[in-house]
């Protein structure tokens, strides 16, 4: 799977665990030296980063004699280097979203065409409910390849009577992922003659599935192992909550419009379900970054309804100097470029809030201080104990690296993070006034989203054990 969050070894796992440092080291040099010895002198470049890791993963799986390899595509499918597998046991296409548009195309139909490139002759494939046109594209791609394609029934159809299935991953969108996982798992188990898979259940297509061009796969009675698997699934950086004293971190690597929408639904439910502090002093902070060709303004607009008191933008660099952190270094992006993007995000957020204030005529316009939104002096306390709905006057701040951003948000109240340096670190009035509010608040709720790399960098600082 890709990308990794903290260490590159996460991409190549055996029995759910990243391979050891010794094993990674052994196979890295084995593959590297073999390629170096056999490369064509006329085209003497090594495979790019992702291609090299893909070759290495296949080599690890073969050498370690795994029974089953689950391979996630990198980008797309058709031209993805993982697509060298000629005869997989089964293929799956999860819910489609707009992403990597410069490579995959700027419409859902173009993206569906790319994803359908993993279909193979005679190999069953499954997908989940998709918009009508992209689903038709998937069906056409399956027909071209003579690949039997099926639509997964809803997860509800697998539930017995009144007993609801528990999922280890939060968020309604994980239900379609779970339904897809069940079909893929059952296909492999069937292929290997496993007994006791439970009888098939006829599923009547719901009205929204009627007339769809792809036949509905049957549901089936789940085994105890399947039920436990769904319940025990963990995936770092996806709808993950870390409670560190008064500071609660909500981490989700959402980076498309559809996944940000799902993230907002999850955050609002998860944050609002927490016990409210007795004195009501709760501060909400957004920590955001986005990379690549993503429409950042569209993503930020979806986050406005969460009513954040502060929006913090920083690059995905853990520290300003990343020399000691090679696993998270991106040689394709300079710090200057990354900071420019953060400043653009800051301006976008400020503009979105001003538009929101303009729409809500009952809200007094905030004063502008140095290009950042500041609460009017008479309403300063409202940041801390706001009426409902909360006033939309979030100051937006930019920090040069994640460590500084996290330290400012935590204000020494998270035992895993050092307190921010006091001398001159927050010359800006928004930063210094915010520091007081963050130190005094009974609860600080922080949503970290927009980039899996951002979430990975945050996890590295918030959970040092992951770096071991």
């Amino acid at each position: 799977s890709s990308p990794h969050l903290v260490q590159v070894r996460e991409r190549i796992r055996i029995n759910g665990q990243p391979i050891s440092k010794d094993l990674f080291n052994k196979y890295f040099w084995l593959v590297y030296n073999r390629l170096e010895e056999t490369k064509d002198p006329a085209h003497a470049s090594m495979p790019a980063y992702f291609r090299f890791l893909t070759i290495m993963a296949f080599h690890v799986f073969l050498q370690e004699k795994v029974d089953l390899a689950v391979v996630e595509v990198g980008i797309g499918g058709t031209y993805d280097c993982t697509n060298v597998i000629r005869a997989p046991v089964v293929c799956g296409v999860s819910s489609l979203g707009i992403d990597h548009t410069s490579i995959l195309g700027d419409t859902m139909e173009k993206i569906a065409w790319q994803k359908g490139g993993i279909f193979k002759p005679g190999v069953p494939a499954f997908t989940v409910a998709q918009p009508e046109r992209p689903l038709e594209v998937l069906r056409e791609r399956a027909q071209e390849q003579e690949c039997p394609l099926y639509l997964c029934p809803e997860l509800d159809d697998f539930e017995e009577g009144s007993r609801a299935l528990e999922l280890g991953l939060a968020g309604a969108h994980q239900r379609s992922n779970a339904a897809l996982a069940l079909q893929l798992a059952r296909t492999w188990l069937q292929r290997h003659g496993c007994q006791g898979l439970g009888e098939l259940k006829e599923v009547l297509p719901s009205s929204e599935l009627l007339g769809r061009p792809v036949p509905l796969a049957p549901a089936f009675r789940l085994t105890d192992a399947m039920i436990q698997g769904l319940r025990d699934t963990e995936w770092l950086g996806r709808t993950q909550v870390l409670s560190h004293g008064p500071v609660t971190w909500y981490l989700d690597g959402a980076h498309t419009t559809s996944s940000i929408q799902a993230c907002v639904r999850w955050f609002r439910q998860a944050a609002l379900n927490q016990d409210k502090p007795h004195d009501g002093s709760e501060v909400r902070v957004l920590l955001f970054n986005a990379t690549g060709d993503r429409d950042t303004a569209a993503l930020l607009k979806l986050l406005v309804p969460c009513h954040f008191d502060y929006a913090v933008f920083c690059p995905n660099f853990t520290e300003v100097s990343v020399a000691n952190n090679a696993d998270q270094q991106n040689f394709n992006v300079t710090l200057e470029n990354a900071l420019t993007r953060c400043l653009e995000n800051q301006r976008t957020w400020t503009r979105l809030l001003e538009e929101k204030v303009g729409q809500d005529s009952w809200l007094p316009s905030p004063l502008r201080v140095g290009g950042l939104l500041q609460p009017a002096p008479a309403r300063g306390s409202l940041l801390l104990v706001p009426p409902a709905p909360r006033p939309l006057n979030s100051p937006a701040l930019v920090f040069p690296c994640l460590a500084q951003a996290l330290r400012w948000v935590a204000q020494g109240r998270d035992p895993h993070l050092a307190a921010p340096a006091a001398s001159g670190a927050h010359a800006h009035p928004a930063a210094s006034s915010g520091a007081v509010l963050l130190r005094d608040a009974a609860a600080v709720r922080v949503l970290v989203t927009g980039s899996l790399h951002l979430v990975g960098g945050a996890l590295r600082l918030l959970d040092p054990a992951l770096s071991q």
Side-chain angles (χ1 to χ4, degrees):
S1 64
S2 65
H4 62 273
L5 291 172
V6 178
Q7 297 193 72
V8 68
R9 297 180 295 111
E10 298 165 26
R11 295 173 182 242
I12 306 174
R13 300 168 185 252
I14 296 179
N15 294 334
Q17 295 303 310
I19 60 174
S20 68
K21 289 181 180 178
D22 288 344
L23 215 54
F24 187 94
N25 192 38
K26 168 187 163 183
Y27 285 122
F28 176 93
W29 288 113
L30 203 153
V31 172
Y32 186 94
N33 291 334
R34 188 77 55 83
L35 290 170
E36 189 69 42
E37 291 159 12
T38 56
K39 68 187 180 187
D40 178 352
H43 305 91
S45 61
M46 293 292 275
Y49 181 81
F50 184 82
R51 290 186 179 196
F52 181 90
L53 287 172
T54 302
I55 296 165
M56 182 177 154
F58 290 146
H59 187 72
V60 170
F61 295 150
L62 289 166
Q63 294 300 307
E64 296 295 311
K65 297 181 169 55
V66 301
D67 302 298
L68 160 69
V70 180
V71 180
E72 180 200 34
V73 300
I75 293 176
T78 302
Y79 304 116
D80 192 85
C81 62
T82 57
N83 204 22
V84 297
I85 303 171
R86 293 177 186 169
V89 173
V90 62
C91 295
V93 175
S94 58
S95 185
L96 296 171
I98 297 283
D99 198 15
H100 302 294
T101 50
S102 61
I103 299 169
L104 303 182
D106 54 3
T107 68
M108 292 277 274
E109 289 81 0
K110 290 175 183 174
I111 290 169
W113 188 91
Q114 296 279 2
K115 301 287 184 186
I118 65 170
F119 297 154
K120 302 289 183 286
V123 173
F126 295 89
T127 189
V128 296
Q130 310 279 11
E132 188 174 351
R133 274 296 300 139
L135 188 62
E136 284 177 9
V137 172
L138 288 176
R139 182 199 61 175
E140 289 162 8
R141 293 287 271 159
Q143 285 177 336
E144 287 168 15
Q145 290 291 334
E146 298 182 356
C147 154
L149 175 65
Y150 303 94
L151 201 59
C152 294
E154 301 289 338
L155 196 61
D156 299 6
D157 296 316
F158 292 90
E159 294 177 340
E160 297 288 330
S162 59
R163 187 176 68 165
L165 287 168
E166 286 180 56
L167 298 186
L169 298 177
H173 58 293
Q174 296 295 355
R175 292 182 67 80
S176 76
N177 289 337
L180 180 60
L182 289 170
Q183 295 289 356
L184 300 179
R186 189 178 203 277
T187 303
W188 187 84
L189 292 166
Q190 250 183 329
R191 171 73 70 90
H192 285 75
C194 295
Q195 302 300 311
L197 289 183
E199 74 268 20
L200 297 175
K201 299 192 290 186
E202 191 58 44
V203 181
L204 295 172
S206 65
S207 56
E208 68 178 50
L209 298 178
L210 285 171
R212 289 292 177 97
V214 176
L216 196 64
F220 50 89
R221 191 179 298 277
L222 303 187
T223 65
D224 290 343
M226 289 174 176
I227 293 168
Q228 183 184 344
L230 293 176
R231 185 177 62 237
D232 295 348
T233 297
E234 291 180 351
W235 202 254
L236 295 182
R238 275 74 164 185
T239 59
Q240 182 181 1
V241 181
L242 293 176
S243 295
H244 291 181
V247 187
T248 308
W249 305 91
Y250 300 84
L251 303 144
D252 192 76
H255 50 269
T256 65
T257 50
S258 54
S259 60
I260 288 282
Q261 284 169 327
C263 170
V264 166
R265 284 193 296 270
W266 162 72
F267 174 71
R268 294 180 80 172
Q269 186 177 16
L272 292 174
N273 281 350
Q274 298 292 319
D275 292 334
K276 289 283 175 284
H278 294 305
D279 64 354
S281 58
E282 173 186 299
V283 176
R284 289 189 205 166
V285 182
L286 170 65
L287 178 56
F288 180 92
N289 192 39
T291 58
D293 53 10
R294 298 189 173 93
D295 183 351
T296 311
L299 302 183
L300 288 172
K301 189 170 186 177
L302 295 169
L303 290 158
V304 169
C306 291
H307 304 302
F308 293 104
D309 299 304
Y310 296 94
V312 175
F313 303 99
C314 70
N316 293 340
F317 302 122
T318 316
E319 305 276 355
V320 175
S321 167
V322 288
N324 62 347
N325 182 21
D327 272 13
Q328 292 183 309
Q329 192 159 357
N330 184 343
F331 293 99
N332 299 316
V333 180
T334 66
L335 178 60
E336 186 180 1
N337 288 345
L339 278 172
T340 301
R341 182 87 180 255
C342 292
L343 291 165
E344 289 170 1
N345 293 341
Q346 180 193 40
R347 282 192 290 272
T348 300
W349 183 255
T350 304
R351 191 191 76 243
L352 286 167
L353 292 175
E354 286 174 336
E355 288 171 1
K356 181 70 176 167
V357 169
Q359 292 162 11
D360 296 335
S361 54
W362 58 271
L363 278 175
S365 293
L367 298 179
R368 294 185 62 82
V369 179
L372 294 179
L373 285 168
Q374 270 288 84
R379 299 166 56 226
S381 62
L382 290 185
L383 261 181
L384 198 57
V385 194
R390 303 158 73 86
L392 287 155
N393 55 2
S394 313
L397 299 97
V398 172
F399 289 91
C401 68
L402 254 165
Q404 289 190 26
L406 293 180
R407 284 189 202 114
W408 180 80
V409 171
Q411 288 298 317
R413 305 179 73 191
D414 183 327
H416 294 112
L417 296 168
S423 57
H426 307 306
H428 199 286
S432 46
S433 67
V436 174
L437 293 177
L438 289 163
R439 280 197 296 271
D440 292 346
V444 179
R445 311 208 190 280
V446 192
L447 175 62
V448 185
T449 192
S451 162
L452 275 166
H453 302 286
L454 179 79
V455 166
L459 272 173
R460 181 174 181 271
L461 295 165
L462 296 170
D463 188 354
L466 293 173
S467 300
Q468 302 307 310

